[in-house]
């Protein structure tokens, strides 16, 4: 069997660093840890308006029982006029990633 050994140098710009995938994921989680989104933050993340988000995510029975803090979830559903929506950012981001197909199909 023949074998070829190659030495390769790849320059990395001074303003860049290489990190492992696991470390990157940890950094992303830490970034959202302890952060709460408003409805406007969620609109920016999903690139949809409040009406669409409510109809397709928040008030969908299959999602609401997972999301609502009243059921152990991570979304505060306003109970009175004037109260604001509140979303635990890290868990909402994870939910959106995992349920992307369910939400948009």
């Amino acid at each position: 069997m023949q074998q070829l050994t190659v030495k390769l140098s790849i320059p990395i710009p001074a303003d860049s660093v290489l990190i492992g995938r696991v470390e990157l994921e940890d950094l992303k989680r830490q970034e959202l840890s302890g952060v709460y989104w408003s409805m406007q933050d969620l609109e920016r993340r999903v690139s949809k308006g409040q009406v669409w988000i409510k109809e397709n995510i928040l008030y969908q029975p299959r999602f609401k029982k997972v999301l609502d803090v009243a059921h152990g979830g991570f979304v505060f559903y306003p109970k009175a006029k004037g109260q604001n929506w509140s979303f635990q950012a890290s868990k909402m981001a994870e939910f959106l990633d995992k349920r992307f197909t369910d939400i948009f199909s």
Side-chain angles (χ1 to χ4, degrees):
M1 171 181 8
Q2 294 182 10
Q3 186 172 353
L4 177 63
T5 303
V6 178
K7 182 177 180 181
L8 178 65
S9 294
I10 301 173
I12 298 173
D15 63 342
S16 300
V17 295
L18 289 177
I19 62 171
R21 185 176 306 276
V22 171
E23 187 176 356
L24 176 62
E25 294 303 320
D26 286 344
L27 288 171
K28 285 180 182 179
R29 274 192 292 281
Q30 289 174 13
E31 178 183 344
L32 294 176
S33 180
V35 175
Y36 297 92
W37 290 341
S38 65
M39 178 58 80
Q40 292 75 24
D41 295 325
L42 185 60
E43 287 176 313
R44 281 190 293 277
R45 293 287 179 150
V46 178
S47 298
K48 298 285 184 184
Q50 188 172 154
V51 172
W52 188 94
I53 291 170
K54 288 177 181 178
E55 289 176 0
N56 293 280
I57 302 172
L58 299 174
Y59 288 123
Q60 281 293 319
R62 68 185 190 270
F63 298 144
K64 186 175 180 183
K65 59 185 167 191
V66 173
L67 298 172
D68 196 339
V69 294
H71 302 291
F74 42 88
V75 175
F76 173 76
Y77 284 72
K79 301 194 182 353
K81 190 173 184 167
Q83 286 185 322
N84 294 321
W85 289 86
S86 188
F87 307 89
Q88 190 175 1
S90 59
K91 292 185 178 182
M92 191 65 193
E94 182 180 341
F95 173 85
L96 293 170
D97 286 343
K98 287 184 177 178
R99 301 293 186 107
F100 181 84
T101 304
D102 296 334
I103 293 168
F104 289 95
S105 61

